Amino acid sequence: MALLPILRYPDPRLHKIAKPVDVVDDRIRELVRDMAQTMYEAPGVGLAATQVDVHERVVVIDVSEDDSDLRVLINPEITWKSEEVQVYEEGCLSVPGVYDEVERAARIRVRGLNEHGEHFEFEAEGLLAVCVQHELDHLMGKVFVEYLSRLKQNRIKARIRKQERQDAQRM
């Protein structure tokens, strides 16, 4: 297993649309293991392959308190969304230190494949529903800050660029 470098907003590669996985094979299973290790180490509750510069429809999620409920979503699709919405404060491993409120469907139904290529379907609400919607946005080339005002987006970009300059000076 290996830790994978996480792309940082506003990297243009975060806006690439992920392609479906044709075959769930050892390469995909290794990617899933590496993504899970990267997510747990970061630490985060979700990671899309897009965030590690692999543009295939693969997501790992674990919203448990003790990292005991890893969910692998390959070629995931949201098949239903409730009309009811909820507002959650979201953060993102690709936008470190930035948190803001985003409105999303309160409940969803998801289907896809697991790391063994088996079909699954589940319903989610609360943090899991938010996380699934957030990660599937990544697969479509969208970062959560794009739900925010243009002014907030520009402030976030400026803050990240400043941090990157400071990091480069330390090296």
Side-chain angles (χ1 to χ4, degrees):
M1 289 197 293
L3 288 178
L4 304 170
I6 298 172
L7 299 177
R8 293 179 105 180
Y9 180 80
D11 190 308
R13 294 172 290 179
L14 289 168
H15 298 293
K16 285 186 176 180
I17 296 176
K19 292 181 170 59
V21 172
D22 291 327
V23 178
V24 179
D25 56 12
D26 288 342
R27 180 186 66 83
I28 294 296
R29 283 186 279 277
E30 181 178 4
L31 174 63
V32 164
R33 286 190 299 272
D34 291 348
M35 286 175 59
Q37 181 182 5
T38 302
M39 175 189 69
Y40 288 132
E41 186 73 24
V45 296
L47 186 67
T50 301
Q51 293 175 270
V52 294
D53 202 20
V54 176
H55 302 284
E56 294 180 87
R57 295 186 59 78
V58 178
V59 167
V60 294
I61 293 175
D62 188 340
V63 297
S64 69
E65 294 287 323
D66 60 357
D67 297 343
S68 64
D69 189 25
L70 179 65
R71 292 175 184 255
V72 175
L73 290 68
I74 299 170
N75 296 337
E77 295 178 72
I78 295 174
T79 59
W80 173 83
K81 291 182 178 186
S82 67
E83 290 184 25
E84 178 189 352
V85 296
Q86 63 185 347
V87 176
Y88 252 86
E89 185 175 74
E90 294 186 28
C92 180
L93 296 177
S94 291
V95 194
V98 174
Y99 301 90
D100 213 316
E101 292 184 340
V102 176
E103 182 179 275
R104 297 195 185 267
R107 291 182 317 285
I108 59 172
R109 187 174 303 120
V110 184
R111 73 173 169 219
L113 303 173
N114 66 17
E115 66 272 28
H116 307 292
E118 301 162 337
H119 291 272
F120 67 80
E121 190 166 343
F122 67 89
E123 290 192 13
E125 61 185 2
L127 179 58
L128 180 58
V130 169
C131 192
V132 168
Q133 291 171 85
H134 176 111
E135 300 308 331
L136 269 58
D137 275 354
H138 277 300
L139 299 180
M140 296 307 297
K142 188 169 186 175
V143 181
F144 91 98
V145 296
E146 294 167 34
Y147 286 99
L148 309 178
S149 70
R150 184 69 62 199
L151 175 64
K152 283 186 177 183
Q153 290 178 46
N154 289 335
R155 286 182 178 163
I156 291 165
K157 287 177 188 175
R159 183 182 332 156
I160 288 172
R161 287 188 183 114
K162 180 180 178 184
Q163 182 64 48
E164 288 172 349
R165 284 192 302 274
Q166 291 172 344
D167 291 349
Q169 289 174 349
R170 288 189 197 114
M171 294 180 154

